[in-house]
Amino acid sequence: MDKDVKLYALSTCVHCKNAKKFLDEKDVDYDCTYVDRLSGEERQEAIEEVKKHNPNLSFPTLLVGDTCIVGFKKDEIEDALEQL
């Protein structure tokens, strides 16, 4: 599986940790960005990217291909991963 999976998370968010753990358990190759650990322009760019898919800017925001999943929703994540 390639890196069509992108997780935007907060380092202090339990739901983000659960989403990351779930992806790890599924052996999914993904990129993870902890938005709260970024600063300056890099942080602003990450926020704008999340807002394109999730205007509420809530976390975790998971992009699986063209699918955006907000929150830790195992069933939706599994369905989206099967579509890749």
Side-chain angles (χ1 to χ4, degrees):
M1 193 174 298
D2 58 23
K3 298 238 181 176
D4 284 341
V5 181
K6 176 83 177 171
L7 176 64
Y8 291 95
L10 300 176
S11 62
T12 57
C13 167
V14 67
H15 302 293
C16 300
K17 289 178 184 174
N18 288 335
K20 191 172 185 324
K21 181 179 176 186
F22 182 73
L23 292 172
D24 289 340
E25 289 172 353
K26 293 286 185 183
D27 200 26
V28 175
D29 189 16
Y30 64 97
D31 285 325
C32 179
T33 300
Y34 286 112
V35 177
D36 60 325
R37 291 184 180 170
L38 302 175
S39 61
E41 187 174 321
E42 193 175 30
R43 182 178 186 150
Q44 192 57 41
E45 287 175 3
I47 288 171
E48 292 304 318
E49 185 63 26
V50 172
K51 282 184 176 178
K52 286 182 192 173
H53 304 281
N54 173 14
N56 290 328
L57 194 62
S58 52
F59 297 93
T61 295
L62 179 65
L63 304 177
V64 181
D66 294 330
T67 302
C68 176
I69 301 165
V70 178
F72 176 50
K73 300 171 183 166
K74 282 184 184 180
D75 291 342
E76 288 185 31
I77 295 170
E78 285 183 336
D79 288 346
L81 290 172
E82 289 176 8
Q83 301 299 317
L84 288 180

